[in-house]
Structure formats: structure tokens, C-alpha cells
Amino acid sequence: MTTAMMMAGPGAPDVLTATEIDIGEPGAGEVRIRQSVIGVNFVDIYFRTGLYPIAAYPAVLGFEAAGTVEAVGPGVVSVGPGDRVAYHGAPMGAYAEARILPSERLVRLPATLPDRLMGGTMLRGLTAHMLLHKVRAVGPGDWILVHAAAGGLGQIVTRWAKRLGAHVIGTVGSEGKRALALEAGAAAVLLHGADDWAERTRALADGQGVHLAIDGIGGGMLARTFAAVRPFGLVASLGQPAGPIPPVRVETLGNGRPVALMRPSVIAYANDPDLYRRGAADLIAALEAGLINPIGAAYDLRDAARAHADLEGGRTTGSVILTV
């Protein structure tokens, strides 16, 4: 038996309750892992609240974790018992002490990268890789705008973009978070509650605007972000913790300036075997070369509801993890 944080239906954080389940033995092509660190992300909140539908209940949230292989099913040769591994992607179900996954989902970890780091880095790290290598091939001299730059995703995107030679302008929700974004490498940090942040962003970015703007806030932020992008630049819309995004009228996109909008998905990115393997390899190489993903808050697995409440309430910075 293993403990999992089960939910019988959508709702507030308290729908997550500790439940004993029997996960059995791995089948052909499957692996059972004993998890040590589990990542908590906004996508988990979207599924918990019902914003993103779940096909069947009861359900276990979570898309990333790190741990050790306990057993392998027939035909598995890529990993073996005792191997340290991490993963991101479907199927959902990471909020548990142990679980069974397809072997192709697992990435073997080098001794230099601890579980505590990797359990909360795969999703954000692959999101950063997707944004900086697939959404736009970011290079030296590029200008990037990162909303919520003090958050877990904002910090790793900023750090990785700077390693690629780009200039990052970050926005944060309060003065208290400014130092975190600057420490991550942002060239300038603005308050996104101010009226003039888009104008100031354009002025900082060669007077033209950024090449890539990354909006993980949602609500009314997306519509305002187009004004910070230079002609033929790109806005990537990733999430909406601030609420639903109002409809975007294509004919007024960019207020007459030629700009593009993309809605990338790291779940879809991880579902592509080639992109997943390449992204994971690049992420591990970058981490071994010095890329940092700070842990902002750690909770016991059974405190998953409190982790959700703190993340949802904007009381965390950096990555948020559950420990087993």
C-alpha cells in the first residue's frame, strides 16, 4: 500500500485527502518508483479547481517527481532497480509515495543532481527549454519580458535566458519580490501593477520592445503585454492564475503593429518523445553547468492542500515541492 493525495472531485485545496492505495506491480514496459520529492505547479491547481477537466474521479494530481526505481516490468531495459530517476508529463498522478509509469517517461539522474532539486525542476525546466529553444530560439542580444519573474518559472527562465546571452526584463507584483528577480539575472525589474510598465519595457529594449514576452499571469495581463513587444515579436501565453483571459481580437492584435501570439503547452512538449529527451538532456547539462532552480517552499506530502493554498495565494517564490 502507498499513500496518495486523492481528490473525489474538483474544489478548494481541502479536496486533497491522504488515501491508502494499492498500486500493484509494473506491467510490460512499466516501472514502479519510490518517490522522494514531488513538484507542485499551477497546472495542478487548474486541474484541482476544474478549470482543466479530469476525465474520471477519484484522481491524483501532479506531473513531476524524482525518486528511485523499485521494480521494472517485462521488456524494460532503460532503467533498473536502484536507479535514481525523475520525470515530467502525463499520465497525471505524482502526488503519491510511489507510482507506476511507462519506462519512456523516466530520465536517469546523474549523481551530481539531488532528488530535492530534480523533483521540482523537470516541469519548469522543460517549460523554460520549450520557451527559449522551441517557441523562440533565443540568442545573444535578444530582449525577453518575463512576467512573475520572482516565481519558480520566472526565475529559471530568467537564469537560462541570461546564460544564452539574452537581456531579461522582469515584472513582479510587489517591491519585496524585486530582489529575487534581480538575483536571477534580470537587467531590470518593473512592477506589473504600474500603469507604465509596457512603455518602460519598450524604452529599455532598444526603444522598440522585446523579441519575446512570456505571460504566465493571465487575466487582463495578456492584452497589455502586446504593447511591450517589438514589431514581428512574439507573446507566449502560459497560464492564468489571475483568472480567465478575455477573448483576443485578431484584427486589433498589437494595436496595428505586427506581432504573434502562441499558447505553448509543456504537457504537449513532453508528450513528443524527441522533444522530451532532447529537452531533458539539455536541462540536465545546464544544471550541471551551473543553472539554478531555487526551492522556495517545501511541504510534507500530506500537506499538499497547504502547498496549494500558499501557491495560489501568491505566498511562495521559487519552486514548490512536496517531500515524502
Side-chain angles (χ1 to χ4, degrees), residues 77-320:
V77 296
S78 56
V79 295
D83 284 346
R84 294 178 53 248
V85 294
Y87 66 87
H88 157 61
M92 190 172 69
Y95 288 16
E97 292 176 332
R99 69 177 303 197
I100 292 174
L101 280 170
S103 61
E104 63 268 17
R105 182 56 60 201
L106 302 177
V107 176
R108 292 180 65 181
L109 296 178
T112 52
L113 300 180
D115 288 11
R116 188 172 176 86
L117 168 67
M118 295 307 299
T121 295
M122 288 292 288
L123 187 148
R124 288 183 174 93
L126 285 169
T127 302
H129 187 273
M130 172 185 71
L131 291 166
L132 302 175
H133 295 82
K134 187 67 172 177
V135 172
R136 178 180 172 88
V138 170
D142 281 356
W143 283 92
I144 300 175
L145 172 65
V146 179
H147 287 317
L153 177 61
Q155 287 194 47
I156 196 169
V157 168
T158 298
R159 294 177 189 276
W160 204 336
K162 187 176 180 182
R163 294 175 67 88
L164 295 172
H167 311 294
V168 178
I169 300 169
T171 74
V172 294
S174 66
E175 286 286 353
K177 294 182 178 181
R178 189 190 296 270
L180 290 169
L182 289 171
E183 183 183 351
V189 181
L190 310 174
L191 293 176
H192 56 63
D195 293 332
D196 64 345
W197 62 262
E199 179 182 347
R200 292 178 63 190
T201 297
R202 287 199 310 273
L204 288 165
D206 305 326
Q208 300 182 63
V210 296
H211 298 87
L212 171 64
I214 300 167
D215 173 30
I217 295 178
M221 186 61 69
L222 180 65
R224 300 175 64 195
T225 300
F226 291 112
V229 179
R230 68 179 56 200
F232 298 101
L234 173 65
V235 176
S237 173
L238 284 174
Q240 50 202 71
I245 299 170
V248 176
R249 295 184 59 181
V250 174
E251 66 271 24
T252 62
L253 199 67
N255 197 24
R257 292 159 40 257
V259 296
L261 170 63
M262 182 181 288
R263 179 75 170 180
S265 165
V266 71
I267 303 297
Y269 198 65
N271 282 343
D272 183 301
D274 292 336
L275 291 176
Y276 183 56
R277 289 293 165 186
R278 190 184 321 146
D282 287 353
L283 173 60
I284 287 174
L287 290 167
E288 290 192 299
L291 179 66
I292 297 171
N293 180 37
I295 296 171
Y299 305 79
D300 184 83
L301 173 63
R302 292 173 179 267
D303 289 331
R306 184 161 61 92
H308 270 229
D310 288 349
L311 178 60
E312 202 168 7
R315 294 185 290 273
T316 65
T317 58
S319 64
V320 179

Side-chain angles (χ1 to χ4, degrees), residues 5-17 40-54 57 59-63 92 95 304-313:
M5 299 307 294
M6 193 82 72
M7 52 184 286
D14 61 6
V15 300
L16 300 173
T17 58
V40 178
N41 300 280
F42 262 104
V43 67
D44 305 338
I45 292 173
Y46 300 153
F47 278 103
R48 191 206 77 223
T49 61
L51 179 64
Y52 292 177
I54 294 176
Y57 290 96
V60 178
L61 298 175
F63 287 99
M92 190 172 69
Y95 288 16
R306 184 161 61 92
H308 270 229
D310 288 349
L311 178 60
E312 202 168 7

